Amino acid sequence: MRERSWWGWGWADQALDEEACRALAARVAAYLPLDGAVTPVPPVPELPPARLAPPEALAAICRDDARTRAAHARGKAYRDVVRNLRGEVTNPPDLVAYPRDEAEVVAVLDWAGDAGVPVVPYGGGTSVVGGVEYRDEGPWLSLDLSALCGVVEVDEVSRAARIRAGTLGPSIEDGLRPYGLTLRHYPQSFEFSTLGGWLATRAGGHFATGYTHIDDAVESLRVVTPVGVAESLRVPASGAGPSPDRLWLGSEGALGVITEAWVRVLPRPRHRARAAVTFPGYDEAVRATRAVVQSGLAPSNCRLLDPLEAALGAGATDGLPRLLLGFESADHPVDAALDRAIEVCREHGGAAPEGESTVEEWRDSFVAAPYRRDALARLGVVVETFETACTWDRFADLHAGVVSALAAAGAVVTCRFTHVYPDGPAPYFTVYAPGRRGAEEAVWDDLKAVASEAVVAHGGTITHHHAIGRDHRPWYDRQRPEPFAAALRAAKQALDPAGILNPGVLLDRG
């Protein structure tokens, strides 16, 4: 079987080898100083003996070998990768459980609750905010839901599907394809992340406008908590009090374990049209993007790349920003919609559109970006990505504040819009900075704090789609209203009285 990387992103055989790392270094040297070294990929380190033994009834679904424990010790953020490259796998899970059905999820939580063992739910392990690790002292268990998978039922009349939480993105599409349907939710982690992970983190997906978050696809959820199983009514909409689904969406495994969901699906698109439009300046490009999204045209792709993002991600060498536009439909041709969007762009200085090659080149670069990030970590470069959302009237100040703050810290910054709404964009920043060998994590922490402070100071949310985890907690605590925080603490106490579920995300343990 093809093997996932234990230390970095994705498939082990797709990581850049040393020759490819050195070729990347030759390109990066134009922007950042490098020391010429390439950190070797370490073997799985020796780990301390497991401090837990499962009860006999659960032994068949639990593993405690070193590779499994190391791979489940943390997520896939830059700070996770550099620690792994140094062979520093501190406080790995003592056990990894693989429940095959809901009854086994219940059994694991019952045992863990009685034994006081923290349980961290684990989907695809692609968290970049410390969402799947345990940072306190003492033994803990990683609850890997990958065996709880499959498209169970498809309602072709209502266009909905019942899917188990551990189902990976490609498997979801494979299960829907025979029906001519698609969930059409493609986060960058699509190949390695699960439906349950998307729901628990309120993931953002393929569409740049309209249906953007997985929230929009949910009909109902089924969740196992330490005090019982919750299942919401499957209806297209309801005004019956606060929505129970909203309690679980974004709960990051702290309130319960999502086991399955009914989600809205769509006919697979048959008509597509794409183009890339250039602009003489960034301000004109921002205004054009706002005009397109406020026009009601609803493009599936409306991603604005600043000049440096266009250069690094799409191979554009003219120093101009680019707006990547895409339309799709299962019902009718979309060329007229694209033509109108281009007209809107021309009204704001947009040039004649380029062919689809620019869009394709950026897409290929986007998919390969996490592997390139890992290679940069081996070269000693500190890389961070962070995203936010703000209203259009605040974007110029937010963008200037973030870029200037990070530039003052010695970083190179790029920006793109991942999603756009009539009332504001979701800017996504990538930060590159020279690291200090052995101190990369400290540099990353400093840059993260600088970026986060700049975002919240200018009216942005601490995250649009990356979740809270443990890394965003200080700014999340400041963003949420205190009455809501009190309600969340009460919900945690009611649903998880022993405090075993993912301690440290969303709320302090205690």
Side-chain angles (χ1 to χ4, degrees):
M1 292 180 62
R2 197 175 185 189
E3 197 169 65
R4 288 276 301 273
S5 171
W6 77 266
W7 64 272
W9 184 264
W11 299 114
D13 61 11
Q14 217 167 321
L16 276 66
D17 59 19
E18 184 163 334
E19 181 180 354
C21 286
R22 294 196 181 281
L24 178 62
R27 299 198 299 273
V28 171
Y31 302 96
L32 294 170
L34 299 176
D35 62 11
V38 180
T39 301
V41 175
V44 177
E46 292 187 15
L47 300 180
R51 297 163 290 185
L52 291 174
E56 185 177 348
L58 298 176
I61 64 168
C62 291
R63 295 176 58 179
D64 64 359
D65 62 280
R67 184 182 180 85
T68 299
R69 293 171 63 200
H72 287 76
R74 51 177 67 113
K76 301 299 182 184
Y78 172 87
R79 71 195 304 271
D80 302 325
V81 170
V82 294
R83 287 182 292 171
N84 288 341
L85 285 172
R86 293 198 295 264
E88 297 175 2
V89 182
T90 54
N91 199 28
D94 297 86
L95 289 176
V96 180
Y98 295 84
R100 298 162 292 191
D101 55 35
E102 192 173 273
E104 291 183 340
V105 175
V106 172
V108 170
L109 294 190
D110 285 347
W111 167 68
D114 291 341
V117 174
V119 175
V120 178
Y122 185 103
T126 58
S127 172
V128 293
V129 292
V132 295
E133 65 182 281
Y134 182 64
R135 294 181 180 174
D136 293 338
E137 296 296 324
W140 63 286
L141 177 143
S142 177
L143 185 68
D144 188 311
L145 296 164
S146 59
L148 195 68
C149 61
V151 176
V152 179
E153 187 177 353
V154 176
D155 178 351
E156 295 181 79
V157 175
S158 306
R159 288 188 185 166
R162 182 163 66 96
I163 304 173
R164 292 194 177 107
T167 313
L168 292 165
S171 296
I172 292 173
E173 293 302 315
D174 289 344
L176 295 174
R177 191 171 289 107
Y179 301 91
L181 298 170
T182 174
L183 180 57
R184 213 69 186 128
H185 184 82
Y186 294 110
Q188 190 174 33
S189 61
F190 169 77
E191 191 175 5
F192 306 105
S193 54
T194 64
L195 176 64
W198 301 343
L199 297 166
T201 61
R202 299 184 65 192
H206 168 76
F207 289 104
T209 66
Y211 160 42
T212 58
H213 275 90
I214 194 64
D215 311 28
D216 304 311
V218 173
E219 272 193 342
S220 71
L221 296 177
R222 188 169 171 89
V223 184
V224 173
T225 79
V227 298
V229 177
E231 182 172 14
S232 59
L233 180 66
R234 184 193 162 213
V235 289
S238 173
S243 169
D245 291 337
R246 289 286 169 178
L247 184 63
W248 316 114
L249 291 167
S251 62
E252 302 190 33
L255 302 178
V257 179
I258 298 170
T259 56
E260 67 176 38
W262 275 97
V263 291
R264 299 177 178 92
V265 293
L266 304 165
R268 302 187 73 80
R270 297 185 298 117
H271 305 278
R272 294 184 177 87
R274 297 178 292 188
V277 182
T278 61
F279 294 86
Y282 190 60
D283 290 344
E284 294 93 334
V286 171
R287 286 195 292 270
T289 305
R290 176 167 60 87
V292 169
V293 72
Q294 291 180 343
S295 71
L297 288 169
S300 58
N301 189 22
C302 190
R303 285 174 168 79
L304 176 62
L305 316 181
D306 74 6
L308 186 54
E309 179 75 21
L312 297 177
T317 59
D318 54 12
L320 300 178
R322 277 162 173 74
L323 178 60
L324 309 185
L325 289 168
F327 290 83
E328 60 184 38
S329 172
D331 178 73
H332 56 269
V334 291
D335 301 272
L338 177 62
D339 290 344
R340 176 56 193 147
I342 292 170
E343 287 180 15
V344 172
C345 290
R346 287 197 175 109
E347 293 168 7
H348 295 271
E354 301 173 326
E356 292 190 1
S357 60
T358 300
V359 181
E360 288 295 325
E361 185 166 349
W362 184 84
R363 179 187 177 279
D364 292 344
S365 175
F366 172 76
V367 172
Y371 295 103
R372 190 167 59 247
R373 185 276 314 265
D374 289 357
L376 289 170
R378 296 179 63 192
L379 295 172
V381 177
V382 176
V383 187
E384 165 63 333
T385 61
F386 64 97
E387 36 70 48
T388 183
C390 64
T391 52
W392 285 111
D393 62 306
R394 292 177 172 175
F395 172 70
D397 287 344
L398 182 145
H399 180 266
V402 168
V403 172
S404 62
L406 287 165
V412 175
V413 188
T414 74
C415 180
R416 68 176 185 267
F417 292 167
T418 59
H419 305 77
V420 286
Y421 304 90
D423 48 348
Y428 188 109
F429 297 90
T430 303
V431 183
Y432 305 91
R436 301 187 302 273
R437 295 289 183 172
E440 295 95 339
E441 188 179 353
V443 175
W444 184 93
D445 287 343
D446 290 344
L447 291 172
K448 181 76 171 178
V450 167
S452 299
E453 288 293 333
V455 163
V456 299
H458 291 88
T461 176
I462 189 57
T463 179
H464 172 264
H465 60 265
H466 275 174
I468 302 302
R470 291 160 178 84
D471 294 339
H472 285 154
R473 272 292 309 282
W475 298 278
Y476 172 64
D477 288 354
R478 287 157 51 185
Q479 177 176 319
R480 67 185 175 196
E482 181 51 36
F484 176 78
L488 187 60
R489 287 190 288 268
K492 174 72 170 175
Q493 177 60 36
L495 295 168
D496 181 22
I500 62 168
L501 286 176
N502 213 358
V505 299
L506 301 184
L507 296 162
D508 290 334
R509 188 177 188 183

